[in-house]
Amino acid sequence: MAEVSLNVEAPVDAVWSVLADGWSYAGWVVGASHIRDVDAGWPKTGTRIHHSVGPWPLVIEDTTEVVRCEPGELLELDARLWPVGAARISFALRPRGESLTEVRMTERAVRGPTTLLPKIVQDALLVPRNKETLQRLNALAQGRSTPFN
C-alpha cells in the first residue's frame, strides 16, 4: 500500500470542502483530466464521480465511487481505470492546529492487472503521483481558507 502524508496549511473544513466538491476532482487528482458528472449527494457512500483520465484524445472514461465517508475526517474511494484496474484510495484528515491539517493518503490496487505488480513497483509509481496530488489539494484548500480582499 502506497502511503503519503502532508501537513496542509489550511483548517480541516477547508480541506474537506475540496474533497467534498466532486467537480474539483480534476483540479487536484493527478491524471484526472475532465469531470463529466458528479452524482447528487457526493460524497455520500455509493455516490460517484464520472471522470476522464489521460491527455486528450487518448482519454479513458470511468468512475470513482465513495466507499466510506466520515465528513471532516475520512473519505475512502474506489477509483476505476479500466483496463488497468481499480484502486482503493483513502484520505484521512487530522487537525494539527487551527489552520493546519495532516492529510494521510493511502492507495492500493484492488482489482485488475495492477494487483500483479510487486509492492515496490506499485509504490515507485504511486508515491510521487500521490505526493503531487496532496500538493495540489494543499493549494486548493489554502485558496478556500483565504478570504478575498
Side-chain angles (χ1 to χ4, degrees):
M1 178 181 318
E3 184 173 315
V4 296
S5 65
L6 181 69
N7 285 323
V8 172
E9 297 174 21
V12 169
D13 290 347
V15 177
W16 184 256
S17 75
V18 176
L19 295 175
D21 176 4
W23 291 102
S24 76
Y25 191 78
W28 56 274
V29 174
V30 174
S33 58
H34 177 69
I35 304 304
R36 300 185 321 278
D37 194 19
V38 177
D39 288 356
W42 173 271
K44 289 194 293 191
T45 300
T47 58
R48 297 181 298 166
I49 293 175
H50 307 264
H51 55 76
S52 302
V53 177
W56 185 88
L58 306 173
V59 296
I60 298 172
E61 293 185 348
D62 224 323
T63 61
T64 292
E65 182 175 339
V66 177
V67 175
R68 185 172 161 206
C69 177
E70 297 174 20
E73 296 179 17
L74 178 75
L75 183 62
E76 188 173 341
L77 306 171
D78 182 71
R80 295 172 34 117
L81 182 59
W82 290 105
V84 177
R88 185 62 50 94
I89 304 168
S90 70
F91 298 90
L93 310 182
R94 194 158 115 196
R96 292 294 193 190
E98 193 172 302
S99 60
L100 190 66
T101 304
E102 178 188 19
V103 180
R104 183 167 305 281
M105 178 183 180
T106 59
E107 181 172 0
R108 65 184 165 84
V110 292
R111 294 186 306 284
T114 53
T115 60
L116 302 175
L117 295 174
K119 180 190 177 326
I120 192 165
V121 174
Q122 288 185 40
D123 286 355
L125 295 170
L126 295 174
V127 167
R129 172 187 170 269
N130 292 349
K131 283 182 177 181
E132 176 61 21
T133 290
L134 289 185
Q135 289 294 338
R136 293 177 185 190
L137 178 65
N138 181 36
L140 288 173
Q142 283 180 9
R144 290 185 186 210
S145 68
T146 304
F148 293 104
N149 292 332

